[in-house]
PDB file of all heavy atoms in Angstrom:
ATOM      1  N   PRO A1050      10.026  42.306   3.559  1.00 96.00           N
ATOM      2  CA  PRO A1050      11.275  42.403   2.793  1.00 96.00           C
ATOM      3  C   PRO A1050      11.874  41.011   2.610  1.00 96.00           C
ATOM      4  O   PRO A1050      11.809  40.175   3.512  1.00 96.00           O
ATOM      5  CB  PRO A1050      12.177  43.278   3.670  1.00 96.00           C
ATOM      6  CG  PRO A1050      11.248  44.002   4.595  1.00 96.00           C
ATOM      7  CD  PRO A1050      10.075  43.077   4.804  1.00 96.00           C
ATOM      8  N   ARG A1051      12.444  40.762   1.462  1.00 96.00           N
ATOM      9  CA  ARG A1051      13.055  39.455   1.188  1.00 96.00           C
ATOM     10  C   ARG A1051      14.109  39.127   2.253  1.00 96.00           C
ATOM     11  O   ARG A1051      14.903  39.970   2.634  1.00 96.00           O
ATOM     12  CB  ARG A1051      13.735  39.471  -0.176  1.00 96.00           C
ATOM     13  CG  ARG A1051      12.803  39.812  -1.316  1.00 96.00           C
ATOM     14  CD  ARG A1051      12.453  38.597  -2.113  1.00 96.00           C
ATOM     15  NE  ARG A1051      11.912  38.993  -3.409  1.00 96.00           N
ATOM     16  CZ  ARG A1051      10.644  38.866  -3.746  1.00 96.00           C
ATOM     17  NH1 ARG A1051       9.783  38.337  -2.912  1.00 96.00           N
ATOM     18  NH2 ARG A1051      10.228  39.231  -4.938  1.00 96.00           N
ATOM     19  N   GLY A1052      14.078  37.883   2.713  1.00 95.00           N
ATOM     20  CA  GLY A1052      15.096  37.382   3.615  1.00 95.00           C
ATOM     21  C   GLY A1052      14.977  37.801   5.064  1.00 95.00           C
ATOM     22  O   GLY A1052      15.796  37.402   5.877  1.00 95.00           O
ATOM     23  N   GLU A1053      13.966  38.583   5.418  1.00 95.00           N
ATOM     24  CA  GLU A1053      13.897  39.104   6.785  1.00 95.00           C
ATOM     25  C   GLU A1053      12.895  38.398   7.694  1.00 95.00           C
ATOM     26  O   GLU A1053      13.079  38.376   8.902  1.00 95.00           O
ATOM     27  CB  GLU A1053      13.599  40.604   6.763  1.00 95.00           C
ATOM     28  CG  GLU A1053      14.766  41.400   6.205  1.00 95.00           C
ATOM     29  CD  GLU A1053      14.575  42.889   6.351  1.00 95.00           C
ATOM     30  OE1 GLU A1053      13.748  43.317   7.183  1.00 95.00           O
ATOM     31  OE2 GLU A1053      15.257  43.617   5.618  1.00 95.00           O
ATOM     32  N   VAL A1054      11.833  37.830   7.142  1.00 95.00           N
ATOM     33  CA  VAL A1054      10.790  37.214   7.960  1.00 95.00           C
ATOM     34  C   VAL A1054      10.530  35.802   7.441  1.00 95.00           C
ATOM     35  O   VAL A1054      10.349  35.602   6.241  1.00 95.00           O
ATOM     36  CB  VAL A1054       9.475  38.036   7.909  1.00 95.00           C
ATOM     37  CG1 VAL A1054       8.366  37.342   8.680  1.00 95.00           C
ATOM     38  CG2 VAL A1054       9.711  39.443   8.440  1.00 95.00           C
ATOM     39  N   THR A1055      10.512  34.834   8.353  1.00 94.00           N
ATOM     40  CA  THR A1055      10.183  33.468   7.961  1.00 94.00           C
ATOM     41  C   THR A1055       8.665  33.340   7.894  1.00 94.00           C
ATOM     42  O   THR A1055       7.973  33.664   8.851  1.00 94.00           O
ATOM     43  CB  THR A1055      10.753  32.461   8.971  1.00 94.00           C
ATOM     44  OG1 THR A1055      12.166  32.627   9.039  1.00 94.00           O
ATOM     45  CG2 THR A1055      10.419  31.037   8.565  1.00 94.00           C
ATOM     46  N   SER A1056       8.179  32.907   6.748  1.00 92.00           N
ATOM     47  CA  SER A1056       6.744  32.727   6.540  1.00 92.00           C
ATOM     48  C   SER A1056       6.565  31.585   5.551  1.00 92.00           C
ATOM     49  O   SER A1056       6.922  31.705   4.374  1.00 92.00           O
ATOM     50  CB  SER A1056       6.122  34.022   5.999  1.00 92.00           C
ATOM     51  OG  SER A1056       4.742  33.855   5.789  1.00 92.00           O
ATOM     52  N   TYR A1057       6.039  30.477   6.045  1.00 91.00           N
ATOM     53  CA  TYR A1057       5.862  29.264   5.241  1.00 91.00           C
ATOM     54  C   TYR A1057       5.193  29.589   3.911  1.00 91.00           C
ATOM     55  O   TYR A1057       4.188  30.296   3.877  1.00 91.00           O
ATOM     56  CB  TYR A1057       5.005  28.286   6.040  1.00 91.00           C
ATOM     57  CG  TYR A1057       5.042  26.860   5.559  1.00 91.00           C
ATOM     58  CD1 TYR A1057       6.099  26.029   5.878  1.00 91.00           C
ATOM     59  CD2 TYR A1057       4.004  26.339   4.789  1.00 91.00           C
ATOM     60  CE1 TYR A1057       6.128  24.709   5.470  1.00 91.00           C
ATOM     61  CE2 TYR A1057       4.026  25.014   4.374  1.00 91.00           C
ATOM     62  CZ  TYR A1057       5.087  24.212   4.714  1.00 91.00           C
ATOM     63  OH  TYR A1057       5.113  22.905   4.303  1.00 91.00           O
ATOM     64  N   SER A1058       5.756  29.099   2.814  1.00 92.00           N
ATOM     65  CA  SER A1058       5.223  29.439   1.506  1.00 92.00           C
ATOM     66  C   SER A1058       5.164  28.225   0.586  1.00 92.00           C
ATOM     67  O   SER A1058       6.160  27.861  -0.042  1.00 92.00           O
ATOM     68  CB  SER A1058       6.065  30.536   0.850  1.00 92.00           C
ATOM     69  OG  SER A1058       5.560  30.858  -0.430  1.00 92.00           O
ATOM     70  N   ASN A1059       3.999  27.602   0.503  1.00 94.00           N
ATOM     71  CA  ASN A1059       3.799  26.522  -0.464  1.00 94.00           C
ATOM     72  C   ASN A1059       3.982  27.046  -1.882  1.00 94.00           C
ATOM     73  O   ASN A1059       4.558  26.374  -2.734  1.00 94.00           O
ATOM     74  CB  ASN A1059       2.396  25.927  -0.307  1.00 94.00           C
ATOM     75  CG  ASN A1059       2.281  25.028   0.889  1.00 94.00           C
ATOM     76  OD1 ASN A1059       3.032  24.077   1.036  1.00 94.00           O
ATOM     77  ND2 ASN A1059       1.336  25.331   1.763  1.00 94.00           N
ATOM     78  N   TRP A1060       3.474  28.243  -2.145  1.00 95.00           N
ATOM     79  CA  TRP A1060       3.605  28.836  -3.476  1.00 95.00           C
ATOM     80  C   TRP A1060       5.083  28.987  -3.833  1.00 95.00           C
ATOM     81  O   TRP A1060       5.494  28.705  -4.956  1.00 95.00           O
ATOM     82  CB  TRP A1060       2.883  30.189  -3.531  1.00 95.00           C
ATOM     83  CG  TRP A1060       2.851  30.780  -4.907  1.00 95.00           C
ATOM     84  CD1 TRP A1060       1.872  30.606  -5.840  1.00 95.00           C
ATOM     85  CD2 TRP A1060       3.828  31.628  -5.508  1.00 95.00           C
ATOM     86  NE1 TRP A1060       2.192  31.293  -6.989  1.00 95.00           N
ATOM     87  CE2 TRP A1060       3.391  31.938  -6.807  1.00 95.00           C
ATOM     88  CE3 TRP A1060       5.040  32.160  -5.081  1.00 95.00           C
ATOM     89  CZ2 TRP A1060       4.103  32.742  -7.685  1.00 95.00           C
ATOM     90  CZ3 TRP A1060       5.774  32.959  -5.952  1.00 95.00           C
ATOM     91  CH2 TRP A1060       5.301  33.243  -7.229  1.00 95.00           C
ATOM     92  N   GLY A1061       5.892  29.395  -2.853  1.00 96.00           N
ATOM     93  CA  GLY A1061       7.319  29.565  -3.099  1.00 96.00           C
ATOM     94  C   GLY A1061       8.008  28.254  -3.453  1.00 96.00           C
ATOM     95  O   GLY A1061       8.902  28.223  -4.297  1.00 96.00           O
ATOM     96  N   VAL A1062       7.590  27.165  -2.823  1.00 97.00           N
ATOM     97  CA  VAL A1062       8.176  25.861  -3.149  1.00 97.00           C
ATOM     98  C   VAL A1062       7.753  25.435  -4.553  1.00 97.00           C
ATOM     99  O   VAL A1062       8.560  24.913  -5.326  1.00 97.00           O
ATOM    100  CB  VAL A1062       7.786  24.794  -2.106  1.00 97.00           C
ATOM    101  CG1 VAL A1062       8.434  23.453  -2.449  1.00 97.00           C
ATOM    102  CG2 VAL A1062       8.183  25.233  -0.710  1.00 97.00           C
ATOM    103  N   ALA A1063       6.494  25.678  -4.909  1.00 97.00           N
ATOM    104  CA  ALA A1063       6.047  25.362  -6.263  1.00 97.00           C
ATOM    105  C   ALA A1063       6.821  26.193  -7.283  1.00 97.00           C
ATOM    106  O   ALA A1063       7.166  25.707  -8.368  1.00 97.00           O
ATOM    107  CB  ALA A1063       4.544  25.599  -6.391  1.00 97.00           C
ATOM    108  N   LEU A1064       7.121  27.443  -6.936  1.00 98.00           N
ATOM    109  CA  LEU A1064       7.937  28.289  -7.819  1.00 98.00           C
ATOM    110  C   LEU A1064       9.329  27.690  -7.979  1.00 98.00           C
ATOM    111  O   LEU A1064       9.871  27.652  -9.092  1.00 98.00           O
ATOM    112  CB  LEU A1064       8.016  29.713  -7.275  1.00 98.00           C
ATOM    113  CG  LEU A1064       8.827  30.693  -8.132  1.00 98.00           C
ATOM    114  CD1 LEU A1064       8.116  30.941  -9.466  1.00 98.00           C
ATOM    115  CD2 LEU A1064       9.037  32.007  -7.384  1.00 98.00           C
ATOM    116  N   ALA A1065       9.902  27.180  -6.899  1.00 98.00           N
ATOM    117  CA  ALA A1065      11.206  26.527  -6.986  1.00 98.00           C
ATOM    118  C   ALA A1065      11.134  25.304  -7.907  1.00 98.00           C
ATOM    119  O   ALA A1065      12.059  25.039  -8.677  1.00 98.00           O
ATOM    120  CB  ALA A1065      11.704  26.128  -5.606  1.00 98.00           C
ATOM    121  N   GLY A1066      10.018  24.565  -7.851  1.00 98.00           N
ATOM    122  CA  GLY A1066       9.827  23.443  -8.772  1.00 98.00           C
ATOM    123  C   GLY A1066       9.792  23.905 -10.213  1.00 98.00           C
ATOM    124  O   GLY A1066      10.324  23.236 -11.113  1.00 98.00           O
ATOM    125  N   PHE A1067       9.201  25.064 -10.447  1.00 98.00           N
ATOM    126  CA  PHE A1067       9.171  25.629 -11.801  1.00 98.00           C
ATOM    127  C   PHE A1067      10.571  26.060 -12.237  1.00 98.00           C
ATOM    128  O   PHE A1067      10.933  25.927 -13.403  1.00 98.00           O
ATOM    129  CB  PHE A1067       8.181  26.798 -11.872  1.00 98.00           C
ATOM    130  CG  PHE A1067       7.982  27.339 -13.251  1.00 98.00           C
ATOM    131  CD1 PHE A1067       7.501  26.534 -14.275  1.00 98.00           C
ATOM    132  CD2 PHE A1067       8.277  28.659 -13.540  1.00 98.00           C
ATOM    133  CE1 PHE A1067       7.314  27.025 -15.563  1.00 98.00           C
ATOM    134  CE2 PHE A1067       8.092  29.169 -14.814  1.00 98.00           C
ATOM    135  CZ  PHE A1067       7.607  28.353 -15.836  1.00 98.00           C
ATOM    136  N   VAL A1068      11.381  26.549 -11.302  1.00 98.00           N
ATOM    137  CA  VAL A1068      12.772  26.875 -11.611  1.00 98.00           C
ATOM    138  C   VAL A1068      13.506  25.605 -12.044  1.00 98.00           C
ATOM    139  O   VAL A1068      14.261  25.617 -13.021  1.00 98.00           O
ATOM    140  CB  VAL A1068      13.474  27.545 -10.405  1.00 98.00           C
ATOM    141  CG1 VAL A1068      14.981  27.642 -10.619  1.00 98.00           C
ATOM    142  CG2 VAL A1068      12.876  28.926 -10.138  1.00 98.00           C
ATOM    143  N   VAL A1069      13.268  24.503 -11.335  1.00 98.00           N
ATOM    144  CA  VAL A1069      13.878  23.220 -11.710  1.00 98.00           C
ATOM    145  C   VAL A1069      13.498  22.877 -13.152  1.00 98.00           C
ATOM    146  O   VAL A1069      14.351  22.517 -13.965  1.00 98.00           O
ATOM    147  CB  VAL A1069      13.455  22.091 -10.741  1.00 98.00           C
ATOM    148  CG1 VAL A1069      13.844  20.718 -11.280  1.00 98.00           C
ATOM    149  CG2 VAL A1069      14.055  22.329  -9.363  1.00 98.00           C
ATOM    150  N   GLU A1070      12.209  22.996 -13.473  1.00 97.00           N
ATOM    151  CA  GLU A1070      11.748  22.705 -14.846  1.00 97.00           C
ATOM    152  C   GLU A1070      12.433  23.598 -15.866  1.00 97.00           C
ATOM    153  O   GLU A1070      12.866  23.134 -16.926  1.00 97.00           O
ATOM    154  CB  GLU A1070      10.238  22.933 -14.953  1.00 97.00           C
ATOM    155  CG  GLU A1070       9.416  21.950 -14.211  1.00 97.00           C
ATOM    156  CD  GLU A1070       7.923  22.197 -14.375  1.00 97.00           C
ATOM    157  OE1 GLU A1070       7.498  23.288 -14.791  1.00 97.00           O
ATOM    158  OE2 GLU A1070       7.174  21.256 -14.089  1.00 97.00           O
ATOM    159  N   THR A1071      12.502  24.873 -15.548  1.00 98.00           N
ATOM    160  CA  THR A1071      13.088  25.846 -16.472  1.00 98.00           C
ATOM    161  C   THR A1071      14.551  25.525 -16.753  1.00 98.00           C
ATOM    162  O   THR A1071      14.994  25.557 -17.906  1.00 98.00           O
ATOM    163  CB  THR A1071      12.937  27.270 -15.893  1.00 98.00           C
ATOM    164  OG1 THR A1071      11.548  27.539 -15.689  1.00 98.00           O
ATOM    165  CG2 THR A1071      13.526  28.314 -16.819  1.00 98.00           C
ATOM    166  N   LEU A1072      15.300  25.223 -15.710  1.00 98.00           N
ATOM    167  CA  LEU A1072      16.729  24.944 -15.873  1.00 98.00           C
ATOM    168  C   LEU A1072      17.009  23.567 -16.461  1.00 98.00           C
ATOM    169  O   LEU A1072      17.940  23.397 -17.242  1.00 98.00           O
ATOM    170  CB  LEU A1072      17.440  25.086 -14.527  1.00 98.00           C
ATOM    171  CG  LEU A1072      17.456  26.493 -13.927  1.00 98.00           C
ATOM    172  CD1 LEU A1072      18.051  26.457 -12.526  1.00 98.00           C
ATOM    173  CD2 LEU A1072      18.221  27.458 -14.819  1.00 98.00           C
ATOM    174  N   ALA A1073      16.200  22.570 -16.083  1.00 98.00           N
ATOM    175  CA  ALA A1073      16.452  21.189 -16.518  1.00 98.00           C
ATOM    176  C   ALA A1073      15.833  20.863 -17.876  1.00 98.00           C
ATOM    177  O   ALA A1073      16.225  19.900 -18.525  1.00 98.00           O
ATOM    178  CB  ALA A1073      15.949  20.207 -15.471  1.00 98.00           C
ATOM    179  N   GLY A1074      14.839  21.636 -18.280  1.00 97.00           N
ATOM    180  CA  GLY A1074      14.193  21.375 -19.567  1.00 97.00           C
ATOM    181  C   GLY A1074      13.231  20.204 -19.555  1.00 97.00           C
ATOM    182  O   GLY A1074      12.829  19.721 -20.602  1.00 97.00           O
ATOM    183  N   VAL A1075      12.874  19.732 -18.364  1.00 98.00           N
ATOM    184  CA  VAL A1075      11.878  18.660 -18.209  1.00 98.00           C
ATOM    185  C   VAL A1075      10.965  19.047 -17.058  1.00 98.00           C
ATOM    186  O   VAL A1075      11.317  19.897 -16.239  1.00 98.00           O
ATOM    187  CB  VAL A1075      12.521  17.273 -17.929  1.00 98.00           C
ATOM    188  CG1 VAL A1075      13.401  16.827 -19.086  1.00 98.00           C
ATOM    189  CG2 VAL A1075      13.306  17.280 -16.622  1.00 98.00           C
ATOM    190  N   SER A1076       9.813  18.418 -16.971  1.00 96.00           N
ATOM    191  CA  SER A1076       8.890  18.729 -15.880  1.00 96.00           C
ATOM    192  C   SER A1076       9.511  18.361 -14.535  1.00 96.00           C
ATOM    193  O   SER A1076      10.393  17.495 -14.453  1.00 96.00           O
ATOM    194  CB  SER A1076       7.575  17.974 -16.061  1.00 96.00           C
ATOM    195  OG  SER A1076       7.759  16.584 -15.831  1.00 96.00           O
ATOM    196  N   TRP A1077       9.022  19.022 -13.483  1.00 96.00           N
ATOM    197  CA  TRP A1077       9.473  18.688 -12.128  1.00 96.00           C
ATOM    198  C   TRP A1077       9.230  17.210 -11.863  1.00 96.00           C
ATOM    199  O   TRP A1077      10.099  16.520 -11.312  1.00 96.00           O
ATOM    200  CB  TRP A1077       8.716  19.553 -11.106  1.00 96.00           C
ATOM    201  CG  TRP A1077       8.949  19.171  -9.687  1.00 96.00           C
ATOM    202  CD1 TRP A1077       9.989  19.570  -8.895  1.00 96.00           C
ATOM    203  CD2 TRP A1077       8.158  18.286  -8.885  1.00 96.00           C
ATOM    204  NE1 TRP A1077       9.873  18.993  -7.647  1.00 96.00           N
ATOM    205  CE2 TRP A1077       8.750  18.197  -7.615  1.00 96.00           C
ATOM    206  CE3 TRP A1077       6.984  17.561  -9.121  1.00 96.00           C
ATOM    207  CZ2 TRP A1077       8.215  17.427  -6.590  1.00 96.00           C
ATOM    208  CZ3 TRP A1077       6.461  16.796  -8.094  1.00 96.00           C
ATOM    209  CH2 TRP A1077       7.084  16.732  -6.846  1.00 96.00           C
ATOM    210  N   GLU A1078       8.063  16.698 -12.274  1.00 94.00           N
ATOM    211  CA  GLU A1078       7.720  15.289 -12.064  1.00 94.00           C
ATOM    212  C   GLU A1078       8.744  14.369 -12.726  1.00 94.00           C
ATOM    213  O   GLU A1078       9.219  13.412 -12.107  1.00 94.00           O
ATOM    214  CB  GLU A1078       6.316  14.996 -12.603  1.00 94.00           C
ATOM    215  CG  GLU A1078       5.202  15.631 -11.808  1.00 94.00           C
ATOM    216  CD  GLU A1078       4.906  17.098 -12.174  1.00 94.00           C
ATOM    217  OE1 GLU A1078       5.613  17.675 -13.027  1.00 94.00           O
ATOM    218  OE2 GLU A1078       3.975  17.668 -11.579  1.00 94.00           O
ATOM    219  N   GLN A1079       9.075  14.660 -13.979  1.00 95.00           N
ATOM    220  CA  GLN A1079      10.032  13.822 -14.697  1.00 95.00           C
ATOM    221  C   GLN A1079      11.416  13.918 -14.052  1.00 95.00           C
ATOM    222  O   GLN A1079      12.107  12.909 -13.901  1.00 95.00           O
ATOM    223  CB  GLN A1079      10.102  14.217 -16.174  1.00 95.00           C
ATOM    224  CG  GLN A1079      10.999  13.311 -16.981  1.00 95.00           C
ATOM    225  CD  GLN A1079      11.005  13.658 -18.461  1.00 95.00           C
ATOM    226  OE1 GLN A1079      10.238  14.498 -18.916  1.00 95.00           O
ATOM    227  NE2 GLN A1079      11.874  13.017 -19.208  1.00 95.00           N
ATOM    228  N   PHE A1080      11.827  15.111 -13.676  1.00 97.00           N
ATOM    229  CA  PHE A1080      13.124  15.286 -13.028  1.00 97.00           C
ATOM    230  C   PHE A1080      13.197  14.442 -11.763  1.00 97.00           C
ATOM    231  O   PHE A1080      14.153  13.692 -11.556  1.00 97.00           O
ATOM    232  CB  PHE A1080      13.361  16.768 -12.693  1.00 97.00           C
ATOM    233  CG  PHE A1080      14.751  17.051 -12.191  1.00 97.00           C
ATOM    234  CD1 PHE A1080      15.727  17.522 -13.051  1.00 97.00           C
ATOM    235  CD2 PHE A1080      15.094  16.844 -10.859  1.00 97.00           C
ATOM    236  CE1 PHE A1080      17.012  17.776 -12.595  1.00 97.00           C
ATOM    237  CE2 PHE A1080      16.379  17.095 -10.387  1.00 97.00           C
ATOM    238  CZ  PHE A1080      17.343  17.569 -11.263  1.00 97.00           C
ATOM    239  N   VAL A1081      12.192  14.564 -10.904  1.00 96.00           N
ATOM    240  CA  VAL A1081      12.188  13.835  -9.635  1.00 96.00           C
ATOM    241  C   VAL A1081      12.175  12.328  -9.878  1.00 96.00           C
ATOM    242  O   VAL A1081      12.929  11.584  -9.247  1.00 96.00           O
ATOM    243  CB  VAL A1081      11.005  14.277  -8.747  1.00 96.00           C
ATOM    244  CG1 VAL A1081      10.825  13.349  -7.549  1.00 96.00           C
ATOM    245  CG2 VAL A1081      11.206  15.713  -8.270  1.00 96.00           C
ATOM    246  N   GLU A1082      11.349  11.881 -10.809  1.00 93.00           N
ATOM    247  CA  GLU A1082      11.244  10.437 -11.050  1.00 93.00           C
ATOM    248  C   GLU A1082      12.511   9.848 -11.650  1.00 93.00           C
ATOM    249  O   GLU A1082      12.938   8.765 -11.251  1.00 93.00           O
ATOM    250  CB  GLU A1082      10.022  10.150 -11.921  1.00 93.00           C
ATOM    251  CG  GLU A1082       8.720  10.370 -11.160  1.00 93.00           C
ATOM    252  CD  GLU A1082       7.468  10.305 -12.018  1.00 93.00           C
ATOM    253  OE1 GLU A1082       7.563   9.985 -13.226  1.00 93.00           O
ATOM    254  OE2 GLU A1082       6.379  10.583 -11.471  1.00 93.00           O
ATOM    255  N   THR A1083      13.122  10.551 -12.607  1.00 96.00           N
ATOM    256  CA  THR A1083      14.288   9.981 -13.290  1.00 96.00           C
ATOM    257  C   THR A1083      15.617  10.257 -12.594  1.00 96.00           C
ATOM    258  O   THR A1083      16.523   9.433 -12.659  1.00 96.00           O
ATOM    259  CB  THR A1083      14.383  10.472 -14.745  1.00 96.00           C
ATOM    260  OG1 THR A1083      14.496  11.894 -14.760  1.00 96.00           O
ATOM    261  CG2 THR A1083      13.185  10.036 -15.554  1.00 96.00           C
ATOM    262  N   ARG A1084      15.715  11.387 -11.899  1.00 97.00           N
ATOM    263  CA  ARG A1084      17.005  11.765 -11.312  1.00 97.00           C
ATOM    264  C   ARG A1084      17.094  11.489  -9.818  1.00 97.00           C
ATOM    265  O   ARG A1084      18.185  11.476  -9.269  1.00 97.00           O
ATOM    266  CB  ARG A1084      17.289  13.247 -11.580  1.00 97.00           C
ATOM    267  CG  ARG A1084      17.253  13.619 -13.044  1.00 97.00           C
ATOM    268  CD  ARG A1084      18.507  14.073 -13.717  1.00 97.00           C
ATOM    269  NE  ARG A1084      19.653  14.368 -12.952  1.00 97.00           N
ATOM    270  CZ  ARG A1084      20.237  15.575 -12.905  1.00 97.00           C
ATOM    271  NH1 ARG A1084      19.725  16.595 -13.558  1.00 97.00           N
ATOM    272  NH2 ARG A1084      21.332  15.747 -12.207  1.00 97.00           N
ATOM    273  N   ILE A1085      15.947  11.291  -9.161  1.00 97.00           N
ATOM    274  CA  ILE A1085      15.980  11.056  -7.713  1.00 97.00           C
ATOM    275  C   ILE A1085      15.373   9.695  -7.371  1.00 97.00           C
ATOM    276  O   ILE A1085      16.047   8.813  -6.841  1.00 97.00           O
ATOM    277  CB  ILE A1085      15.263  12.188  -6.942  1.00 97.00           C
ATOM    278  CG1 ILE A1085      15.949  13.540  -7.218  1.00 97.00           C
ATOM    279  CG2 ILE A1085      15.247  11.877  -5.440  1.00 97.00           C
ATOM    280  CD1 ILE A1085      15.212  14.740  -6.669  1.00 97.00           C
TER     281      ILE A1085
END
Side-chain angles (χ1 to χ4, degrees):
R1051 302 255 197 251
E1053 292 188 19
V1054 176
T1055 301
S1056 180
Y1057 197 79
S1058 179
N1059 284 304
W1060 186 91
V1062 181
L1064 181 67
F1067 186 60
V1068 169
V1069 168
E1070 291 181 343
T1071 301
L1072 295 174
V1075 298
S1076 71
W1077 172 84
E1078 290 83 357
Q1079 184 177 353
F1080 188 97
V1081 169
E1082 289 171 5
T1083 60
R1084 304 245 349 242
I1085 300 172

